[in-house]
Amino acid sequence: MDRVVIIGGGPGGYEAAHVAAQLGAEVTVVDTDGIGGSAVLTDCVPSKTLIATAELMTEVSDSAELGIDFFDHEGDATTTIRVDLAKVNARVKKLAADQSADIAARLERDGVRMVKGRGRLGPDLTVIVGDETIQADSILVATGAAPRTLPGAMPDGERILTWEQVYDLTEVPEKLIVVGSGVTGAEFASAYLALGIPVTLVSSRDRVLPGEDADASAVLEEVATRRGMEVLSQSRMESVTRDGEVVTVRLTDGREVTGSHCILALGSVPNTADLGLEEAGVETDEGGFIKVDRVSRTSCRGVYAAGDCTGVLMLASVAAMQGRIAMWHFLGDAVAPLDLKKVSSNVFTAPEIATVGWSQKSVDAGEIQVQVVMLPLAGNARAKMQGVRDGFIKLFIRPGTGIIVGGVVVGPRASELIHVVSLAVAESLTADKLAQAFTVYPSLSGSIAEAARRLHRVES
């Protein structure tokens, strides 16, 4: 029986454990912080639970247009309804703990042994955990990453916070400063704005979400500023300091921004220090991320790596797939190398931004030739019923074949709408095939079919 040892209990680790157990291996998961990893305990599950409350607040704020009155309140609902942040965060923590327990229970049912402690690579394919040395035939390193901090902007866990520390807040911040306009910064800025908190977003780039579709970023920034967010573009943070109840963010141009709280969203650093990687011959890059190929192999025979510690694409779905691929490969099952051009992702802002396949940036850079259609959601009947004015559907197809190679959805629940485009990209469907599939009327997904119809090519 093959012995598999997995260091790290996040999506890359626990999904790999399920696959290895299914294929008959003897599996041990060594975990430090709790099964589920940061994705379940401090990142994806908590943040999206918080965002679920924010989404409800957004819907409530727009409800008057749909004919809903709050008769027990005086004035506008948006000014009379308050969020109990202590209750919200208590729910966040409970959901995260419950999800972690559910994952651990499923691993136990699969016969996976779980060892609590910090694992590191030892000689001859072993993993050392405290006084125990575990022999393996294959090792998967899935240790994740942690929030990046800077010497001049150190979190104190009370008013200067990383995104992992926000769930300890019990009182609503009077004014929140978010430093960093990537996915994490944009999501928290959008969520807390919807909860009724004044938000200033400090961005070192010329736009919010510089790594996302530019049209989508423009919609988000326009909506956010319309709803009251202050966005400081091309404003690089120099330091963050605290004096009692006041937090000051100093910018490199000398300006200062003050608030009651600050969230640092400065990116991530891999959890790869003191793992014995160098001694085992596992190569890392300058940032400390483990180098892997498309089947998750490292430079050391028998050692694989998955998830954020590889820096390939920091998504829980990618981590899980890397872990599965590693086990399929090692245990001799059918396996296809990781294809990042088929990965769908979502930014959980208001509105959401979902993407899959080739991007507008690649198109503009001349990396691929495509035809593009962009269809605003404002003309969709269901969108009108729901009071949705912002957002669009964008599809990319190859000129010769009509095959869909990418897409962007901006709107409410874009994370759900993108799946049909993701299927089209994964299965190389043409725009005509997508257009000819039935959609419900009225529905937002009808706009995806409409966009595909607009890409129909009449044969000469």
Side-chain angles (χ1 to χ4, degrees):
M1 181 182 289
D2 290 299
R3 298 164 297 180
V4 172
V5 179
I6 299 167
I7 306 175
Y14 70 73
E15 288 292 344
H18 288 311
V19 168
Q22 182 184 47
L23 295 177
E26 177 186 292
V27 187
T28 301
V29 174
V30 179
D31 182 72
T32 307
D33 301 320
I35 297 298
S38 63
V40 170
L41 294 169
T42 59
D43 193 354
C44 298
V45 170
S47 65
K48 278 48 176 182
T49 305
L50 173 73
I51 288 167
T53 301
E55 287 175 345
L56 183 60
M57 286 293 288
T58 300
E59 291 169 2
V60 168
S61 69
D62 296 335
S63 61
E65 180 187 342
L66 276 66
I68 296 176
D69 265 327
F70 291 79
F71 293 110
D72 292 335
H73 296 277
E74 294 182 4
D76 184 10
T78 58
T79 62
T80 55
I81 294 179
R82 295 286 183 267
V83 168
D84 185 336
L85 196 56
K87 188 176 289 186
V88 170
N89 283 340
R91 178 173 182 265
V92 166
K93 291 180 179 179
K94 185 179 186 305
L95 279 171
D98 289 348
Q99 181 69 4
S100 176
D102 288 347
I103 296 167
R106 187 178 161 210
L107 288 173
E108 191 172 352
R109 285 196 299 270
D110 279 359
V112 175
R113 179 187 175 218
M114 287 171 277
V115 177
K116 186 169 179 61
R118 180 172 175 79
R120 66 188 313 275
L121 300 182
D124 303 320
L125 281 182
T126 58
V127 173
I128 301 169
V129 189
D131 297 331
E132 183 180 3
T133 299
I134 307 171
Q135 188 67 51
D137 297 302
S138 178
I139 298 169
L140 174 70
V141 180
T143 49
R148 179 171 171 256
T149 59
L150 296 173
M154 295 301 294
D156 62 9
E158 294 179 353
R159 289 183 178 268
I160 304 174
L161 309 162
T162 69
W163 67 77
E164 295 183 338
Q165 297 171 330
V166 297
Y167 310 108
D168 292 326
L169 289 174
T170 56
E171 295 183 1
V172 174
E174 293 179 13
K175 181 184 177 183
L176 177 65
I177 307 167
V178 178
V179 180
S181 61
V183 172
T184 301
E187 287 184 344
F188 277 111
S190 178
Y192 283 114
L193 182 72
L195 296 180
I197 298 167
V199 175
T200 298
L201 181 63
V202 177
S203 171
S204 63
R205 308 291 285 275
D206 60 349
R207 62 182 173 91
V208 175
L209 295 174
E212 299 297 320
D213 182 274
D215 293 319
S217 298
V219 171
L220 176 63
E221 189 161 344
E222 193 276 324
V223 171
T225 52
R226 187 204 314 155
R227 291 175 176 167
M229 186 185 298
E230 181 183 17
V231 179
L232 302 181
S233 300
Q234 295 181 315
S235 301
R236 187 173 294 278
M237 180 271 294
E238 183 177 275
S239 65
V240 181
T241 55
R242 174 187 173 185
D243 183 9
E245 297 182 353
V246 178
V247 173
T248 301
V249 177
R250 184 175 179 83
L251 307 178
T252 53
D253 61 8
R255 287 178 295 161
E256 291 185 348
V257 185
T258 59
S260 64
H261 295 76
C262 176
I263 296 176
L264 302 173
L266 307 173
S268 301
V269 292
N271 296 322
T272 54
D274 301 321
L275 287 180
L277 298 177
E278 186 176 353
E279 295 87 340
V282 176
E283 291 184 13
T284 58
D285 65 14
E286 292 179 357
F289 293 98
I290 300 172
K291 295 181 180 180
V292 291
D293 65 11
R294 290 175 61 204
V295 291
S296 304
R297 289 179 297 190
T298 71
S299 56
C300 177
R301 185 177 180 83
V303 178
Y304 295 77
D308 288 359
C309 65
T310 69
V312 169
L313 190 55
M314 290 187 163
L315 297 172
S317 57
V318 172
M321 187 58 74
Q322 285 179 294
R324 296 186 199 107
I325 286 172
M327 293 301 98
W328 288 328
H329 183 269
F330 171 68
L331 295 167
D333 202 4
V335 61
L338 182 68
D339 185 355
L340 296 180
K341 291 303 179 189
K342 294 183 178 179
V343 174
S344 58
S345 63
N346 191 69
V347 185
F348 290 84
T349 46
E352 292 184 4
I353 298 171
T355 56
V356 66
W358 287 89
S359 67
Q360 184 72 60
K361 184 178 179 181
S362 297
V363 172
D364 294 341
E367 296 173 21
I368 186 172
Q369 297 297 313
V370 299
Q371 286 179 260
V372 183
V373 66
M374 183 168 157
L375 185 66
L377 281 182
N380 178 287
R382 185 70 179 273
K384 291 176 183 176
M385 295 170 195
Q386 295 178 333
V388 174
R389 296 183 179 83
D390 305 298
F392 61 82
I393 307 292
K394 182 189 286 189
L395 296 178
F396 306 116
I397 68 165
R398 294 289 281 158
T401 61
I403 290 174
I404 297 169
V405 293
V408 183
V409 178
V410 179
R413 306 295 193 275
S415 50
E416 308 293 348
L417 290 171
I418 197 65
H419 188 235
V420 65
V421 186
S422 182
L423 281 172
V425 171
E427 297 302 318
S428 299
L429 298 183
T430 63
D432 285 348
K433 285 183 178 179
L434 183 60
Q436 290 162 10
F438 277 91
T439 57
V440 172
Y441 182 86
S443 68
L444 294 182
S445 58
S447 286
I448 296 176
E450 175 62 24
R453 278 192 289 275
R454 294 190 182 193
L455 287 166
H456 178 63
R457 297 170 299 118
V458 179
E459 300 294 340
S460 57

